[in-house]
Amino acid sequence: MTQRPLRSVWDALTSLKLTIVCLALLMVLVIACTLAQTTMGTLGAVNAYIRSFLVWWDVPGTAWRIPVAPGGGLVGLVLTVNLVAAQARRLELSWRKAGLWIVHAGLILLFAGEFVTSFFQKETQLTIEQGQTLNYVESPRDLELAVIDVTDPAHDEVYAVPEARLARGGEVALPGSPVTLRVKGYLENAELANRGPSDPPSPANMGVGAMVSVRPLPPIASDEQLNRRAAFVEPVAGGRSYGTWLVSNALGAPQSFIHEGRTYVLSMRPQRQYLPYAITLKKFSHDVYPGTEIPKNFSSLVHLSNPSRGEERDVLIYMNQPLRYAGKAFYQASFGKGDTLSVLQVVENPGWLLPYISCVLVAAGLVLHFVVALRRSARRRQSAALLEAA
């Protein structure tokens, strides 16, 4: 009685029908993801359909979200379990099936690589001008509120609050500083304009925000545009309030306050990740084909400086030739400012080797299986020839 349900589950997990259903669902998800990119953008659609366990539907006019289909993560997980179980049940453990074992291992590794990429890959950018030296990369989409103590002209003390923390509101203490931020409002996207006589009073009473009207807008899903985030924060230090400030990535004017002789600057900027080494852009090259404006090559000659390793060397980064260093890959991505600025896409993916290993395993497995099958066929023909000769 107790073995029958387990047997049914085992039969289902090893079923070829389950394999076909999973592959069909993956195809449907890829098509849905492709169509959704027109409204959600590439990154949003991939996250919603491929890199999720469930596909959610936002009920119009409500705050409800209902799961309507399995996402790529769940389908991939089921397919991986199915392949492993089917291999354990059906493939005999012999040298004749070694090729198929290797092929299955390669496919499983391919799915595992996608899981690692989905959950652990981080993409940032290094936007750098010729002659500039930077020791940080920035997120192209996530922001942070940086409270920077600029009192010492030789060194800045930076206290960063991630955008996601601002969205939760409440009080945010800045460890290592006497400042606490009271978050009084947060807008994922907003339109900022000079405040007119008919506009309602601004929640901000300090800085340029007191002269700015803020109107909430729906979030932007396009990959080419960024939301203009806005937040109202009240710095408090030593029991004293320094008023309410508007902070936004759409504000260019610097804002600061002074507490006990120390100057603190408020800046909403792309989220930064500081590196234990520095990169200097020595030269950016934008080559075109002779007599045309058609791009031929983009390249960045950078100098890598890592005192902790004693490294001082020049590296040329160009199309399909990234700099791989300390777990990060720096790809040539874009440029600007009259070919004096280079934008490097920085990818940190602990599983970047897995797809290559997977492809090698699948290819090796297929070749091995072909060779084994060829030898068996040759032996059968040889035996048949001997029988006819006898």
Side-chain angles (χ1 to χ4, degrees), residues 328-356:
K328 289 182 169 56
F330 296 77
Y331 295 89
Q332 183 67 58
S334 187
F335 60 98
K337 288 191 174 181
D339 294 347
T340 62
L341 178 144
S342 178
V343 180
L344 302 176
Q345 191 77 11
V346 185
V347 179
E348 185 176 5
N349 180 9
W352 70 275
L353 270 177
L354 295 181
Y356 297 100

Side-chain angles (χ1 to χ4, degrees), residues 143 163-164 166-169 183-192 202-203 212-220 226-233 246-250 268:
L143 301 181
E163 175 193 354
L166 292 177
R168 294 203 299 270
V183 183
K184 295 187 169 181
Y186 170 81
L187 298 173
E188 187 175 356
N189 190 27
E191 180 184 65
L192 275 61
S202 170
V212 174
S213 69
V214 181
R215 186 170 67 89
L217 293 176
I220 297 173
L226 292 176
N227 289 312
R228 294 182 173 183
R229 275 84 160 191
F232 295 97
V233 297
L246 168 65
V247 291
S248 170
N249 56 328
M268 184 81 96

Side-chain angles (χ1 to χ4, degrees), residues 138-144 163 226 229 269-272:
E138 295 179 323
S139 169
R141 299 207 161 271
D142 298 324
L143 301 181
E144 65 183 13
E163 175 193 354
L226 292 176
R229 275 84 160 191
R269 66 187 189 186
Q271 195 171 67
R272 290 184 180 180

